[in-house]
PDB file of all heavy atoms in Angstrom:
ATOM      1  N   THR A 356    -143.485  61.152   0.841  1.00  0.00           N
ATOM      2  CA  THR A 356    -144.582  61.384   1.665  1.00  0.00           C
ATOM      3  C   THR A 356    -144.734  62.937   1.851  1.00  0.00           C
ATOM      4  O   THR A 356    -143.711  63.702   1.762  1.00  0.00           O
ATOM      5  CB  THR A 356    -144.574  60.740   2.978  1.00  0.00           C
ATOM      6  OG1 THR A 356    -143.513  61.276   3.757  1.00  0.00           O
ATOM      7  CG2 THR A 356    -144.340  59.263   2.883  1.00  0.00           C
ATOM      8  N   GLU A 357    -145.880  63.405   2.303  1.00  0.00           N
ATOM      9  CA  GLU A 357    -146.102  64.932   2.586  1.00  0.00           C
ATOM     10  C   GLU A 357    -145.111  65.288   3.561  1.00  0.00           C
ATOM     11  O   GLU A 357    -144.530  66.436   3.320  1.00  0.00           O
ATOM     12  CB  GLU A 357    -147.443  65.086   3.174  1.00  0.00           C
ATOM     13  CG  GLU A 357    -148.548  65.486   2.080  1.00  0.00           C
ATOM     14  CD  GLU A 357    -148.058  66.610   1.178  1.00  0.00           C
ATOM     15  OE1 GLU A 357    -147.675  67.642   1.785  1.00  0.00           O
ATOM     16  OE2 GLU A 357    -148.174  66.431  -0.021  1.00  0.00           O
ATOM     17  N   GLN A 358    -144.821  64.558   4.616  1.00  0.00           N
ATOM     18  CA  GLN A 358    -143.870  64.956   5.552  1.00  0.00           C
ATOM     19  C   GLN A 358    -142.408  65.063   5.006  1.00  0.00           C
ATOM     20  O   GLN A 358    -141.671  66.024   5.369  1.00  0.00           O
ATOM     21  CB  GLN A 358    -143.897  63.958   6.738  1.00  0.00           C
ATOM     22  CG  GLN A 358    -143.471  64.509   7.971  1.00  0.00           C
ATOM     23  CD  GLN A 358    -143.170  63.441   9.057  1.00  0.00           C
ATOM     24  OE1 GLN A 358    -143.470  62.288   8.824  1.00  0.00           O
ATOM     25  NE2 GLN A 358    -142.847  63.906  10.329  1.00  0.00           N
ATOM     26  N   GLU A 359    -142.079  64.075   4.242  1.00  0.00           N
ATOM     27  CA  GLU A 359    -140.737  64.060   3.658  1.00  0.00           C
ATOM     28  C   GLU A 359    -140.582  65.260   2.684  1.00  0.00           C
ATOM     29  O   GLU A 359    -139.474  65.841   2.634  1.00  0.00           O
ATOM     30  CB  GLU A 359    -140.493  62.800   2.873  1.00  0.00           C
ATOM     31  CG  GLU A 359    -140.189  61.572   3.885  1.00  0.00           C
ATOM     32  CD  GLU A 359    -140.324  60.226   3.168  1.00  0.00           C
ATOM     33  OE1 GLU A 359    -140.826  60.242   2.005  1.00  0.00           O
ATOM     34  OE2 GLU A 359    -139.889  59.253   3.704  1.00  0.00           O
ATOM     35  N   ILE A 360    -141.665  65.624   1.959  1.00  0.00           N
ATOM     36  CA  ILE A 360    -141.575  66.759   1.103  1.00  0.00           C
ATOM     37  C   ILE A 360    -141.356  68.036   1.889  1.00  0.00           C
ATOM     38  O   ILE A 360    -140.414  68.828   1.609  1.00  0.00           O
ATOM     39  CB  ILE A 360    -142.972  66.942   0.306  1.00  0.00           C
ATOM     40  CG1 ILE A 360    -143.022  65.805  -0.782  1.00  0.00           C
ATOM     41  CG2 ILE A 360    -143.012  68.300  -0.341  1.00  0.00           C
ATOM     42  CD1 ILE A 360    -144.304  65.737  -1.487  1.00  0.00           C
ATOM     43  N   GLU A 361    -142.093  68.140   3.080  1.00  0.00           N
ATOM     44  CA  GLU A 361    -141.888  69.229   3.986  1.00  0.00           C
ATOM     45  C   GLU A 361    -140.396  69.414   4.347  1.00  0.00           C
ATOM     46  O   GLU A 361    -139.786  70.439   4.209  1.00  0.00           O
ATOM     47  CB  GLU A 361    -142.795  69.154   5.065  1.00  0.00           C
ATOM     48  CG  GLU A 361    -143.147  70.428   5.826  1.00  0.00           C
ATOM     49  CD  GLU A 361    -143.353  71.651   4.909  1.00  0.00           C
ATOM     50  OE1 GLU A 361    -144.250  71.558   3.988  1.00  0.00           O
ATOM     51  OE2 GLU A 361    -142.740  72.651   5.026  1.00  0.00           O
ATOM     52  N   HIS A 362    -139.874  68.382   4.854  1.00  0.00           N
ATOM     53  CA  HIS A 362    -138.540  68.332   5.354  1.00  0.00           C
ATOM     54  C   HIS A 362    -137.493  68.626   4.263  1.00  0.00           C
ATOM     55  O   HIS A 362    -136.695  69.502   4.517  1.00  0.00           O
ATOM     56  CB  HIS A 362    -138.172  66.963   5.934  1.00  0.00           C
ATOM     57  CG  HIS A 362    -138.687  66.713   7.363  1.00  0.00           C
ATOM     58  ND1 HIS A 362    -137.894  66.689   8.413  1.00  0.00           N
ATOM     59  CD2 HIS A 362    -140.064  66.613   7.768  1.00  0.00           C
ATOM     60  CE1 HIS A 362    -138.730  66.564   9.452  1.00  0.00           C
ATOM     61  NE2 HIS A 362    -140.013  66.395   9.100  1.00  0.00           N
ATOM     62  N   THR A 363    -137.595  67.894   3.121  1.00  0.00           N
ATOM     63  CA  THR A 363    -136.635  68.193   2.037  1.00  0.00           C
ATOM     64  C   THR A 363    -136.796  69.554   1.497  1.00  0.00           C
ATOM     65  O   THR A 363    -135.775  70.190   1.071  1.00  0.00           O
ATOM     66  CB  THR A 363    -136.748  67.110   0.973  1.00  0.00           C
ATOM     67  OG1 THR A 363    -138.204  66.952   0.658  1.00  0.00           O
ATOM     68  CG2 THR A 363    -136.159  65.788   1.417  1.00  0.00           C
ATOM     69  N   TYR A 364    -138.016  70.066   1.391  1.00  0.00           N
ATOM     70  CA  TYR A 364    -138.150  71.393   0.803  1.00  0.00           C
ATOM     71  C   TYR A 364    -137.571  72.448   1.717  1.00  0.00           C
ATOM     72  O   TYR A 364    -136.812  73.375   1.182  1.00  0.00           O
ATOM     73  CB  TYR A 364    -139.698  71.719   0.591  1.00  0.00           C
ATOM     74  CG  TYR A 364    -139.919  73.019  -0.109  1.00  0.00           C
ATOM     75  CD1 TYR A 364    -139.326  73.251  -1.362  1.00  0.00           C
ATOM     76  CD2 TYR A 364    -140.669  74.009   0.416  1.00  0.00           C
ATOM     77  CE1 TYR A 364    -139.519  74.448  -2.034  1.00  0.00           C
ATOM     78  CE2 TYR A 364    -140.773  75.292  -0.186  1.00  0.00           C
ATOM     79  CZ  TYR A 364    -140.269  75.522  -1.443  1.00  0.00           C
ATOM     80  OH  TYR A 364    -140.451  76.698  -2.038  1.00  0.00           O
ATOM     81  N   GLN A 365    -137.778  72.355   3.060  1.00  0.00           N
ATOM     82  CA  GLN A 365    -137.161  73.357   3.842  1.00  0.00           C
ATOM     83  C   GLN A 365    -135.638  73.282   3.716  1.00  0.00           C
ATOM     84  O   GLN A 365    -134.969  74.282   3.659  1.00  0.00           O
ATOM     85  CB  GLN A 365    -137.556  73.016   5.455  1.00  0.00           C
ATOM     86  CG  GLN A 365    -138.993  73.349   5.653  1.00  0.00           C
ATOM     87  CD  GLN A 365    -139.397  74.722   5.240  1.00  0.00           C
ATOM     88  OE1 GLN A 365    -138.548  75.765   5.356  1.00  0.00           O
ATOM     89  NE2 GLN A 365    -140.604  74.935   4.753  1.00  0.00           N
ATOM     90  N   ARG A 366    -135.048  72.033   3.735  1.00  0.00           N
ATOM     91  CA  ARG A 366    -133.626  71.918   3.515  1.00  0.00           C
ATOM     92  C   ARG A 366    -133.086  72.489   2.187  1.00  0.00           C
ATOM     93  O   ARG A 366    -132.162  73.133   2.144  1.00  0.00           O
ATOM     94  CB  ARG A 366    -133.391  70.401   3.640  1.00  0.00           C
ATOM     95  CG  ARG A 366    -131.942  70.002   3.632  1.00  0.00           C
ATOM     96  CD  ARG A 366    -131.278  70.153   5.078  1.00  0.00           C
ATOM     97  NE  ARG A 366    -129.797  69.908   4.958  1.00  0.00           N
ATOM     98  CZ  ARG A 366    -129.435  68.649   5.044  1.00  0.00           C
ATOM     99  NH1 ARG A 366    -130.206  67.630   5.177  1.00  0.00           N
ATOM    100  NH2 ARG A 366    -128.052  68.471   5.044  1.00  0.00           N
ATOM    101  N   PHE A 367    -133.946  72.242   1.225  1.00  0.00           N
ATOM    102  CA  PHE A 367    -133.597  72.807  -0.188  1.00  0.00           C
ATOM    103  C   PHE A 367    -133.569  74.332  -0.107  1.00  0.00           C
ATOM    104  O   PHE A 367    -132.632  74.867  -0.616  1.00  0.00           O
ATOM    105  CB  PHE A 367    -134.609  72.330  -1.165  1.00  0.00           C
ATOM    106  CG  PHE A 367    -134.691  73.140  -2.418  1.00  0.00           C
ATOM    107  CD1 PHE A 367    -133.741  72.813  -3.385  1.00  0.00           C
ATOM    108  CD2 PHE A 367    -135.640  74.047  -2.694  1.00  0.00           C
ATOM    109  CE1 PHE A 367    -133.725  73.621  -4.543  1.00  0.00           C
ATOM    110  CE2 PHE A 367    -135.648  74.713  -3.937  1.00  0.00           C
ATOM    111  CZ  PHE A 367    -134.694  74.510  -4.869  1.00  0.00           C
TER     112      PHE A 367
END
Side-chain angles (χ1 to χ4, degrees):
T356 64
E357 267 309 308
Q358 203 192 3
E359 284 166 347
I360 288 172
E361 198 45 52
H362 282 248
T363 43
Y364 183 59
Q365 288 311 320
R366 186 81 185 277
F367 164 74

